[in-house]
Amino acid sequence: MTNTHNDLTIAANACFLIFGATGDLARRKLFPALYSLYREGKLEEDFAVVGIARRARTNEEFREDLYQSIQEFCRYKADRDDQWERFAQHFEYKSLDSSNVLGFHELRELTNQLDVKFNIPGNRLFYLALGPELFGSVSQNLRSGGLLDSPGWHRLIIEKPFGYDLKSAETLNAQIHEVFKEDEIYRIDHYLGKEMVQNIEAIRFANAFFEPLWNNKHIANIQITLSETVGVEERGGYYDKSGALRDMGQNHMLQMVTMIAMEPPSRMLPEDIRDEKVKVLRSLRGYSSSEEVRNHVIRGQYSHGSHKGKDLPAYREEDSVNPSSTTETYFAAKVYVDNFRWAGVPFYVRTGKRLPVKTTEIVVEFKNVPENVYFAKKSVLQPNLLVIRVNPMEGIFIKINTKRSGSESVIIPIAMEFCQSCEIGHNTPEAYERLINDAARGDSTYFTRWDEVALAWSFVDRIAKAWSEDASDLHHYPAGSWGPDQANNLLADDGFKWWPVNGQDEDDVIWISNKQG
Ligand SMILES: NC(=O)C1=CN([C@@H]2O[C@H](COP(=O)(O)OP(=O)(O)OC[C@H]3O[C@@H](n4cnc5c(N)ncnc54)[C@H](OP(=O)(O)O)[C@@H]3O)[C@@H](O)[C@H]2O)C=CC1
Ligand SMILES: O=C1O[C@H](COP(=O)(O)O)[C@@H](O)[C@H](O)[C@H]1O
């Protein structure tokens, strides 16, 4: 296997045009990412950023918003010193309505001037941090307004959701393709920018003791949990139309399944990796009938509850949510990848809002040794686990069995943990930081290609269709709980259980960890 990922140290030399520059995503993620890249030398002095939105802002006001966003959300804090002044002078604001081509000619003039001012060879990175209804028209306006006439490369980063279902995604894709070629389109799935999701490749392909066991002969099941403590916050309007399956399942969840299940690519090149991911998506067993869906997918919606003593409203009481909504805020599914490697191995996946803990974790449960011939009378052997902790804690642990020291044959489980975030602390780049840097360097490995998106929608659409026909299987769970009990039966029916996240509640396990305290 050849590793041909681009050199991470190359600095971007481009004009970034951020559409939606006064919005939540820009403030919480994009500006902090750009500042971190600057502090780390991945942006040098030959770049410019134009923030675009409708509301009026002077450049000074925009730079003040930028400063506040960095103070609040960036892993580096800024001082109002020369370095800050140098950084801020790369930012300009342009007020325009993106759905209308009128302002785009002026935008082109502005970017041409910035090219000269900052010695940029016409490279353009367009970031659409806008509502999805604007993605198509903005792409068209970029062309009509002459923004694609500059020398250099032109790339489009597009936010999720990429469509609402396969049909709408196809329409959107066709609109964008009228303007941009596939290799110029960078569809964001920010989970692919997370350190430990990217680390899956290394864990699998750089370790002699994992890859030979990475198949249905040795793996009993895979569990992926994306749990959130938050509710829908200010996004009730969007979320009530989307639900957990579209919001997290179609993208982040299935992307993690592909990273775990894909075959080793022949080279670590974007297209080779994406080809392997597509094969996994093609192998997903589709559930079509209502009965199949009910047997394999559990959905839930949070009702009134509490978390850490705080009273929490029901989903139906949240702002901009239909009071009789049947939108799921939770789903758990048993997924099969029907190929030679994974035949018969269930992938149990679950995600939900208002669960007890914020965590993203992947558990690989290995099959037991053939027979517990030696220790059965005294000990119950626990399965070996490999646990990849993605979020918020980053790291891995493995759980193995060993003889209790001094005993004759008492077997005890030991968890050996490497807490990566404990080692490097705030130096872990944020997902958006990596992804913006990758797009600026032309590395599309951790962005989703159209065929991945389309296949993921095909899988999700069937479930969504069955659900839309009959909502009687929507279970209500108290906010602050682990979701509907029915999700436990998915595993119990196969003789498994959800492993506690973060290794919590496992009193009998001895931990060996680099964590302090
Ligand atoms: N926020 C988040 O954490 C995440 C967001 N996303 C996606 O990112 C995108 C942006 O989300 P978010 O920042 O939360 O949304 P916001 O509603 O906070 O921001 C929307 C932005 O778009 C601008 N805008 C809206 N209409 C126009 C228009 N016609 N012309 C120019 N600018 C316009 C708004 O500014 P103004 O009103 O001044 O025009 C504002 O800057 C969405 O697609 C969302 O789904 C994806 C994952 C996470
Ligand atoms: O894309 C989304 O992701 C967030 C969770 O992201 P994380 O990085 O904090 O785990 C989720 O809250 C949101 O609903 C969804 O749109």
Side-chain angles (χ1 to χ4, degrees):
M1 215 184 306
T2 328
N3 185 346
T4 36
H5 279 316
N6 289 349
D7 181 355
L8 283 168
T9 59
I10 295 172
N13 168 215
C15 184
F16 297 77
L17 289 94
I18 300 184
F19 291 86
T22 54
D24 178 71
L25 185 71
R27 194 170 64 91
R28 285 193 307 110
K29 299 291 183 188
L30 307 185
F31 298 148
L34 289 168
Y35 188 60
S36 297
L37 291 172
Y38 185 72
R39 287 286 294 263
E40 300 209 332
K42 290 171 189 154
L43 281 179
E44 292 178 349
E45 299 303 330
D46 48 1
F47 76 99
V49 180
V50 185
I52 300 143
R54 286 168 305 185
R55 72 197 73 171
R57 285 271 191 286
T58 62
N59 282 338
E60 286 64 38
E61 286 166 340
F62 180 52
R63 289 171 190 160
E64 184 55 29
D65 292 347
L66 179 69
Y67 182 79
Q68 296 304 334
S69 117
I70 285 156
Q71 296 309 82
E72 197 171 348
F73 297 108
C74 188
R75 64 193 175 96
Y76 290 103
K77 299 300 164 213
D79 290 321
R80 290 191 191 272
D81 57 8
D82 288 353
Q83 186 187 41
W84 169 255
E85 288 305 322
R86 266 202 315 282
F87 175 72
Q89 54 137 358
H90 292 267
F91 285 71
E92 302 241 346
Y93 184 77
K94 176 79 188 150
S95 165
L96 63 76
D97 179 352
S98 302
S99 64
N100 190 324
V101 72
L102 282 179
F104 281 71
H105 298 285
E106 283 179 23
L107 186 59
R108 183 186 60 176
E109 290 313 308
L110 174 61
T111 49
N112 288 347
Q113 287 163 16
L114 292 171
D115 278 354
V116 175
K117 182 172 174 187
F118 292 109
N119 200 20
I120 299 167
N123 297 333
R124 304 269 181 270
L125 188 64
F126 306 106
Y127 199 120
L128 305 194
L130 294 165
E133 66 286 355
L134 289 166
F135 294 166
S137 59
V138 175
S139 306
Q140 306 281 346
N141 291 342
L142 288 172
R143 184 179 54 191
S144 312
L147 270 297
L148 305 181
D149 297 343
S150 64
W153 49 255
H154 304 106
R155 295 180 190 140
L156 180 76
I157 302 188
I158 191 156
E159 262 300 337
K160 69 175 273 263
F162 197 88
Y164 171 80
D165 53 15
L166 178 58
K167 194 160 171 284
S168 57
E170 280 172 343
T171 306
L172 173 58
N173 200 47
Q175 287 173 334
I176 296 168
H177 268 278
E178 283 176 25
V179 182
F180 292 94
K181 297 197 290 287
E182 179 62 29
D183 65 4
E184 294 174 320
I185 303 170
Y186 290 71
R187 297 180 194 81
I188 283 256
D189 183 313
H190 78 276
Y191 266 67
L192 291 178
K194 289 188 189 278
E195 172 68 28
M196 292 308 294
V197 173
Q198 298 193 353
N199 211 342
I200 293 171
E201 284 174 350
I203 292 166
R204 287 190 53 190
F205 304 136
N207 288 299
F209 49 61
F210 290 136
E211 189 49 27
L213 305 183
W214 211 258
N215 55 52
N216 55 7
K217 292 189 187 62
H218 302 286
I219 291 180
N221 70 76
I222 308 270
Q223 302 180 14
I224 304 180
T225 298
L226 283 92
S227 64
E228 297 192 89
T229 48
V230 291
V232 290
E233 315 299 295
E234 297 85 36
R235 297 170 72 215
Y238 151 75
Y239 195 87
D240 206 32
K241 291 193 205 81
S242 161
L245 182 66
R246 291 187 175 91
D247 186 49
M248 301 287 270
Q250 188 271 345
N251 35 71
H252 312 321
M253 187 66 90
L254 285 181
Q255 283 296 324
M256 288 201 285
V257 169
T258 64
M259 298 289 284
I260 290 288
M262 73 178 183
E263 294 299 313
S266 51
R267 296 167 302 177
M268 280 293 184
L269 282 175
E271 296 318 318
D272 297 287
I273 294 172
R274 297 187 324 173
D275 286 348
E276 295 306 334
K277 289 165 67 192
V278 162
K279 287 183 203 162
V280 174
L281 292 164
R282 269 201 208 110
S283 308
L284 291 178
R285 188 182 300 174
Y287 304 129
S288 295
S289 68
S290 301
E291 198 189 346
E292 272 180 328
V293 170
R294 273 167 197 256
N295 289 340
H296 294 93
V297 193
I298 305 297
R299 59 174 156 164
Q301 185 191 80
Y302 63 81
S303 51
H304 174 260
S306 67
H307 184 241
K308 295 187 175 165
K310 191 176 161 213
D311 213 34
L312 297 170
Y315 173 70
R316 289 176 178 178
E317 293 160 10
E318 301 274 18
D319 284 348
S320 311
V321 168
N322 177 348
S324 52
S325 172
T326 55
T327 299
E328 80 288 355
T329 58
Y330 173 101
F331 82 90
K334 177 162 35 171
V335 176
Y336 285 101
V337 179
D338 283 334
N339 63 17
F340 243 60
R341 185 185 284 264
W342 294 111
V345 179
F347 285 63
Y348 302 108
V349 299
R350 60 176 168 171
T351 183
K353 303 253 183 220
R354 289 281 189 234
L355 301 186
V357 196
K358 166 72 180 167
T359 198
T360 303
E361 200 168 274
I362 304 168
V363 179
V364 181
E365 177 176 333
F366 291 87
K367 288 187 173 169
N368 275 338
V369 286
E371 210 183 329
N372 190 358
V373 271
Y374 305 117
F375 315 106
K377 293 195 184 81
K378 292 189 177 162
S379 314
V380 177
L381 293 193
Q382 293 203 15
N384 294 144
L385 304 181
L386 163 67
V387 180
I388 301 173
R389 288 180 172 169
V390 174
N391 187 15
M393 177 94 86
E394 294 172 352
I396 55 173
F397 74 82
I398 52 172
K399 203 162 102 177
I400 60 170
N401 292 310
T402 183
K403 188 174 84 65
R404 186 192 293 281
S405 168
S407 77
E408 246 176 59
S409 61
V410 177
I411 301 301
I412 48 162
I414 296 188
M416 290 196 266
E417 174 179 53
F418 172 62
C419 168
Q420 182 154 296
S421 33
C422 304
E423 291 293 313
I424 51 181
H426 88 299
N427 289 326
T428 311
E430 277 267 334
Y432 276 93
E433 216 175 301
R434 281 167 197 279
L435 294 174
I436 291 175
N437 191 35
D438 283 355
R441 293 180 302 109
D443 184 346
S444 54
T445 310
Y446 296 113
F447 294 83
T448 47
R449 204 169 62 187
W450 166 243
D451 45 359
E452 295 178 68
V453 175
L455 286 161
W457 274 126
S458 306
F459 178 78
V460 159
D461 275 1
R462 295 167 193 232
I463 300 170
K465 181 167 180 294
W467 281 354
S468 70
E469 286 160 5
D470 176 8
S472 59
D473 63 329
L474 178 73
H475 306 285
H476 291 273
Y477 61 95
S481 73
W482 269 111
D485 291 342
Q486 287 77 359
N488 297 330
N489 301 341
L490 270 186
L491 287 79
D493 290 348
D494 302 332
F496 301 124
K497 61 169 188 178
W498 292 107
W499 289 99
V501 298
N502 304 335
Q504 287 169 344
D505 312 326
E506 291 201 77
D507 296 339
D508 53 342
V509 180
I510 295 177
W511 282 86
I512 300 167
S513 172
N514 61 328
K515 245 191 261 168
Q516 303 290 319

